[in-house]
Amino acid sequence: MLISNLIIGKNGATTLEGSSYSLSFPADKEQMQKIRGMASAILVGGTTYRSEPYQSLDKPVLVSSTQGKELPKPRFGEILNLSPGDLADYALERFPSPVLVEGGRDFLLPLLKARKISKMYLTVSETSGDDRFVDYLQLTNGMTLRERTKFPEGIFEVWELSD
């Protein structure tokens, strides 16, 4: 099973100053650690891998990138020249469920469109981002809202694939 975790700003941006980190807040960071703790492996695209601290994680990180020779290798995991869908299939053959997708917009949207994500953890921050915009309705299309928790700094939602 594939699950995903994504944070977006209140304006639909997935990054602020080149990273999602600036959109996050303490309750979101706590949720992210819980979600990561459930996963056997993490999938990301090359852009996310370059902008976030994945090299030192203590769990397998699989990276989809055509520039694998130019990227530092993750501590555990590998860099593969595979599409998001092919990387997801590769990971699901090798690791127990759930496998966590933390890739950004361009990595996640094809997986959502192909209905490969069973559960999506989505945080909507009260902070506005400045790049990599996504449409909330496009993200949640074909999914059912199962949980919503409000925090002063944003909203945490859990979405499941609809039948």
Side-chain angles (χ1 to χ4, degrees):
M1 172 171 72
L2 282 180
I3 61 175
S4 70
N5 187 32
L6 181 70
I7 186 168
I8 63 174
K10 67 180 179 180
N11 63 346
T14 60
T15 62
L16 175 60
E17 299 173 349
S19 171
S20 65
Y21 188 81
S22 298
L23 295 173
S24 189
F25 50 91
D28 172 63
K29 289 178 176 125
E30 184 178 317
Q31 289 289 342
M32 182 181 73
Q33 291 307 316
K34 287 179 186 175
I35 295 163
R36 278 187 178 171
M38 295 186 294
S40 63
I42 299 173
L43 308 182
V44 297
T47 301
T48 299
Y49 186 73
R50 282 181 204 85
S51 65
E52 308 285 347
Y54 284 99
Q55 290 88 357
S56 62
L57 287 184
D58 289 335
K59 104 175 11 199
V61 176
L62 302 180
V63 183
S64 169
S65 179
T66 58
Q67 302 169 0
K69 293 180 181 174
E70 299 171 19
L71 295 175
K73 189 174 184 309
R75 185 172 171 198
F76 302 103
E78 52 193 317
I79 300 169
L80 300 161
N81 185 4
L82 296 174
S83 69
D86 289 342
L87 186 66
D89 293 342
Y90 177 87
L92 289 169
E93 289 173 6
R94 287 161 180 77
F95 298 97
S97 290
V99 171
L100 175 60
V101 174
E102 286 192 354
R105 175 194 71 189
D106 296 340
F107 189 88
L108 180 59
L109 286 177
L111 296 172
L112 287 168
K113 187 175 182 181
R115 300 179 56 83
K116 290 188 178 234
I117 304 290
S118 298
K119 185 180 276 191
M120 177 174 59
Y121 298 91
L122 178 64
T123 301
V124 181
S125 174
E126 282 296 313
T127 301
S128 291
D130 60 13
D131 199 13
R132 316 289 294 170
F133 292 87
V134 68
D135 182 330
Y136 179 86
L137 295 177
Q138 184 181 16
L139 273 180
T140 58
N141 184 41
M143 303 195 92
T144 302
L145 180 63
R146 297 292 183 205
E147 180 183 330
R148 176 179 280 147
T149 307
K150 293 183 180 185
F151 299 95
E153 306 94 337
I155 299 170
F156 180 75
E157 299 175 335
V158 179
W159 292 83
E160 290 183 352
L161 188 62
S162 301
D163 293 331

